[in-house]
Amino acid sequence: MRTSIATVSLSGSLTEKLDAAARAGFDGVEIFENDLLASPLTPEDIRARCADLGLGIDLYQPMRDIEAVPEAEFARNLRRARHKFELMRRLGADTVLVCSSVSPHAVDDDALAAEQLSRLADAARESGVRVAYEALAWGRHVSTYDHAWRIVETAGHPALGTCLDSFHILSRGSDPKGIEDIPGEKIFFLQLADAPLLAMDVLQWSRHYRCFPGQGGFDVTGLVRHVLRTGYDGPLSLEVFNDVFRQAEAGPTAVDARRSLLVLQEAVGRAALPEPVVPTGVAFAELVTPAAEPLAALLGALGFTRTARHRGKPVALWEQGDARILVNTGPAVRRDGAQLAAIGLESPDPAGAARRAEALLAPVLPRRRAPEDAPLDAVAAPDGTELFFCATGRPGLPDWRADFEDTGRPATGAGIRGIDHLALTQPWHHFDEAALFHRGVLGLHAQESVDVADPYGLLRSRAVTDADGGVRIALTVGAAPTDDTVHAQHIALATDDVVAAARRFREAGGSLLPVPANYYDDLAARFEFADGELETYRELGILYDRDAHGVFRHCYTRTIGRVFFELAQRDDGYRGYGAPNAPVRLAAQHAVRALTGG
Ligand code: MG
Ligand code: MG
C-alpha cells in the first residue's frame, strides 16, 4: 500500500520535511497549508522538488468552515476555495481536505451542507480536484464519521467523498465497524494517528498528544481493518500533531513514523516482513568506561569475578551466575564516565532477528567487530544503544564467548543469579519511538507507562518484556528536555536474598545508597512486617514494594559515571520495578551528587 505523511507531523522547513519523508521511504505527503505559506518555494518548485524526491502530493489541507452557512457567506467561501483549487493545480495535488465546520455561522442543516458541498465539488471538478470531507471530533454540527458520510451520500457528487481520520473517530468513542457501510471508492483519504488515552478536551488532545500508530492506546489496527474491507486502496497517511515531534529532528521522526506504518501494515496483512524473533534472555550488558578501576572495585564487591578477557580488545568479562558484564576500556570510549553502551540479547535466531530489525529500518551495525571476532548480528536502538543478537554456547552458531580467553578464575558467586532488568534512559524525544521499537522490532510486550516524580522534574517510565520475564527493559525519559547525564542507566541484578547480598556487598567495601528514615516510617504505616524486618531494611537502605502478585525488595549502589547497579529480589511473581520507590531513590541520588559533586 501507498504510505504518506502530513508535513505538519515533522519539524523544520518544508524542504527539510520533504527530504526527511523521502529518505524514510514514504511514497507521498500531505501538504499542510501553513508549511506552503511559510515556504519561499513557488507551488511549481514544490511540485518539482517532490517529483525529484519521488514523493506524490497525496493531499492538500486543510480547507475549513465551508458548509452549512448563509448563501452570502458560502459565496465568499467558494471564492476562497477557487483560489485554492488553482493553487492545487499548480502544485499537482488532486485531493483537498475539507474539515467539518466549526464556524458559529454554520447551521444544523444536513441538506444545506450537502447542497453546498456539492457546489464546492462542482468547482473542484473544474480544476481536476476532488473534495474529501472529514468530521472533526469538535465540529460544530458534524463531529462523527457516519454523520459526515451521510452528508456525502446525500450530495451524491462524484468529486465529493469522505476522509476518515482515526483520531477523530476513536477519540469520540465511535464504533469503527460502521466504516464498512461506506463504499471504498467514496473514502477519498485515510489519515492515521494514535494517542494516549487521556481524559481531556478533544481539541487539545488532538493538537498536542497525537502519536504514531502503535504508540498510544487506540486500536488503530482494528480501524484500518474495517477500512480495508470496504476496498479502500488509497494511501495510509499519518497526520500527527505532537509537541515533541514538532521539536525533534525531522529525519529520525520520519523513520519512526514509517516504522509504525510498517508494523501496522504487517498487522493487517499488507506487508510481508521477516517474522519477529523474540529474545529469551540477556547474554551480557556492556559498559564502556575511560577507567576500569572504579567499576572493577564495584563489580568485585558485588561478588563478580573477572573470568575472561577479549582476545583482541581491552574488554573484560565479569561473571556471576547468569549475569555477565563486559567492561570495555577501548579507544571509542567517551570521556564522560562509565555508561551502558551495548546489550547482548539471547536470540533463538540471531540472523533472523537482525533481518527483521533491518526491515523495520533499524540501523544495522557492521557485522564484524574485528577480523577474528565471531560475526555477531547487531543493530542500533533509537537511543544509540547497540543490541547484539547472541547464541551463547549454542553449537553451530557464532558465539561471542569464543572471542574471550579465560583468566583461569572461575566465577564463585555471592548470591547474584542473573540480570533482573536493564533500565535505559531515553533521550527525551525518543520515548514513544523506543517503546514501539522494542515491541515492533524485538517482539517484546510494552507495559503501561507510569509517571515518576523526580525532585527536579517529572519522568515517564515504561517497561518492555518478553512473556516469561527473561528480558526486562525499563525505558525512562524526562517529561521535558533535560541534561541526559542527570539520569543514569542501571543494571538490576537478580538475587534470592537481597538482605544477604546487600550485607556481603557492604562487608566487601561497597557502599549502598542511603535512604531517609522518613521512608521507613511510611513503610511501617503501609505494610506489616515481621519483628526486626523493617530495621534490617532501614540499616541497609533496602526499599520495599508489593503488588497484586508478590513482593519486591531492592537497593542501589552508588553511581559511577552514568551507571549504577541495583540488587533486586523479586518474589511470588511481582511484576513491577519498584516504581513507587523511584522518587525516594532519585532524591537520594541527587543528595549524594550534591554532597560529592559527582
Ligand atoms: Mg485529519
Ligand atoms: Mg530498577
Side-chain angles (χ1 to χ4, degrees):
M1 292 190 78
R2 218 181 142 71
T3 59
S4 188
I5 185 167
T7 53
V8 71
S9 313
L10 301 168
S11 70
S13 68
L14 181 57
T15 316
E16 289 166 333
K17 291 164 188 252
L18 296 176
D19 287 350
R23 246 180 289 120
F26 282 97
D27 304 302
V29 288
E30 302 176 21
I31 300 275
F32 201 69
E33 185 160 88
N34 280 346
D35 285 322
L36 177 127
L37 298 184
S39 174
L41 301 179
T42 65
E44 288 79 6
D45 290 339
I46 295 169
R47 176 183 197 153
R49 176 132 205 145
C50 286
D52 285 348
L53 292 168
L55 290 172
I57 299 179
D58 293 335
L59 189 80
Y60 184 75
Q61 71 133 318
M63 203 175 273
R64 298 185 193 279
D65 296 338
I66 293 283
E67 80 286 12
V69 287
E71 181 57 31
E73 185 165 344
F74 181 69
R76 284 195 294 279
N77 293 347
L78 207 49
R79 179 182 163 278
R80 169 162 63 93
R82 285 206 165 92
H83 267 271
K84 297 302 174 187
F85 297 152
E86 169 55 19
L87 166 73
M88 289 176 62
R89 192 192 53 72
R90 296 170 62 194
L91 206 50
D94 68 358
T95 307
V96 67
L97 177 79
V98 172
C99 309
S100 62
S101 182
V102 298
S103 166
H105 306 297
V107 293
D108 188 6
D109 182 341
D110 287 359
L112 181 62
E115 189 255 332
Q116 291 182 341
L117 285 172
S118 179
R119 285 159 65 197
L120 180 78
D122 273 337
R125 189 163 51 173
E126 286 165 25
S127 307
V129 169
R130 359 180 266 169
V131 174
Y133 181 55
E134 170 192 71
L136 291 179
W138 53 89
R140 188 166 169 82
H141 300 293
V142 178
S143 57
T144 60
Y145 78 91
D146 46 321
H147 192 177
W149 161 238
R150 279 201 305 278
I151 291 169
V152 167
E153 193 178 23
T154 305
H157 195 292
L160 179 66
T162 191
C163 169
L164 298 176
D165 179 315
S166 64
F167 179 88
H168 292 304
I169 296 170
L170 299 172
S171 66
R172 302 259 333 183
S174 297
D175 183 353
K177 183 152 195 338
I179 291 170
E180 294 184 28
D181 299 333
I182 307 174
E185 69 276 8
K186 293 304 276 184
I187 301 173
F188 281 4
F189 211 72
L190 174 60
Q191 293 177 315
L192 299 175
D194 201 340
L197 303 179
L198 302 170
M200 69 185 297
D201 171 70
V202 78
L203 172 61
Q204 296 304 321
W205 191 11
S206 174
R207 285 218 177 128
H208 301 285
Y209 294 96
R210 285 188 182 217
C211 54
F212 296 127
Q215 297 181 347
F218 289 152
D219 182 10
V220 181
T221 305
L223 181 138
V224 171
R225 283 201 186 98
H226 292 304
V227 176
L228 293 178
R229 278 187 205 122
T230 68
Y232 172 78
D233 65 355
L236 299 179
S237 189
L238 297 168
E239 188 199 34
V240 166
F241 309 89
N242 177 300
D243 298 352
V244 173
F245 299 164
R246 275 178 199 275
Q247 215 171 324
E249 234 183 295
T253 305
V255 169
D256 178 26
R258 196 141 118 74
R259 179 180 302 129
S260 86
L261 274 188
L262 284 167
V263 171
L264 175 74
Q265 286 173 282
E266 177 185 49
V268 298
R270 296 296 180 100
L273 301 174
E275 291 276 307
V277 183
V278 183
T280 54
V282 176
F284 61 80
E286 179 169 348
L287 302 171
V288 294
T289 178
E293 192 36 49
L295 267 179
L298 181 58
L299 288 167
L302 284 165
F304 279 80
T305 306
R306 198 166 70 91
T307 54
R309 70 178 75 85
H310 195 277
R311 293 178 199 281
K313 281 176 292 188
V315 181
L317 168 61
W318 292 76
E319 286 189 89
Q320 182 175 186
D322 285 330
R324 298 172 208 95
I325 312 283
L326 301 181
V327 176
N328 185 343
T329 45
V333 171
R334 279 165 43 188
R335 293 288 113 186
D336 54 356
Q339 55 185 309
L340 185 53
I343 299 171
L345 294 169
E346 288 297 344
S347 176
D349 174 11
R355 275 197 300 277
R356 171 146 183 109
E358 186 172 18
L360 284 168
L361 314 175
V364 174
L365 301 172
R367 201 148 183 268
R368 278 177 186 277
R369 308 172 83 190
E372 71 276 18
D373 284 0
L376 276 181
D377 290 290
V379 299
D383 65 355
T385 304
E386 298 182 356
L387 300 176
F388 289 89
F389 299 114
C390 305
T392 311
R394 267 177 289 151
L397 288 170
D399 189 347
W400 64 278
R401 194 63 178 75
D403 300 335
F404 287 78
E405 62 188 351
D406 291 341
T407 56
R409 274 171 299 187
T412 47
I416 303 298
R417 270 194 293 109
I419 289 177
D420 181 86
H421 64 270
L422 298 164
L424 302 179
T425 312
Q426 300 298 299
W428 67 276
H429 51 279
H430 283 312
F431 185 68
D432 291 331
E433 177 186 4
L436 179 65
F437 178 92
H438 286 89
R439 215 163 47 81
V441 173
L442 304 179
L444 298 172
H445 302 284
Q447 296 180 350
E448 281 298 297
S449 167
V450 292
D451 290 340
V452 174
D454 174 276
Y456 303 102
L458 193 67
L459 306 179
R460 280 200 297 155
S461 184
R462 188 172 199 183
V464 291
T465 65
D466 71 330
D468 53 14
V471 177
R472 296 191 189 95
I473 299 173
L475 305 164
T476 300
V477 73
T482 54
D483 174 2
D484 284 332
T485 59
V486 171
H487 299 113
Q489 325 261 34
H490 72 262
I491 299 173
L493 303 167
T495 174
D496 291 328
D497 186 347
V498 72
V499 170
R503 285 233 159 86
R504 257 194 303 267
F505 176 62
R506 278 230 303 225
E507 280 156 20
S511 125
L512 289 163
L513 187 72
V515 175
N518 291 342
Y519 170 79
Y520 294 99
D521 289 345
D522 180 60
L523 268 193
R526 288 161 56 212
F527 303 108
E528 283 185 48
F529 294 99
D531 279 354
E533 187 182 355
L534 195 58
E535 286 62 38
T536 303
Y537 298 158
R538 190 198 305 262
E539 174 210 336
L540 292 165
I542 290 173
L543 303 162
Y544 183 96
D545 187 36
R546 198 183 282 175
D547 67 8
H549 310 278
V551 171
F552 194 56
R553 280 167 272 234
H554 56 142
C555 57
Y556 297 93
T557 70
R558 300 290 177 89
T559 304
I560 294 182
R562 290 197 54 207
V563 187
F564 60 93
F565 290 84
E566 176 179 3
L567 293 168
Q569 181 179 349
R570 182 184 289 276
D571 287 325
D572 309 320
Y574 174 88
R575 302 229 174 127
Y577 299 82
N581 297 325
V584 173
R585 187 257 296 170
L586 286 159
Q589 289 176 322
H590 281 292
V592 166
R593 189 176 298 111
L595 218 59
T596 62

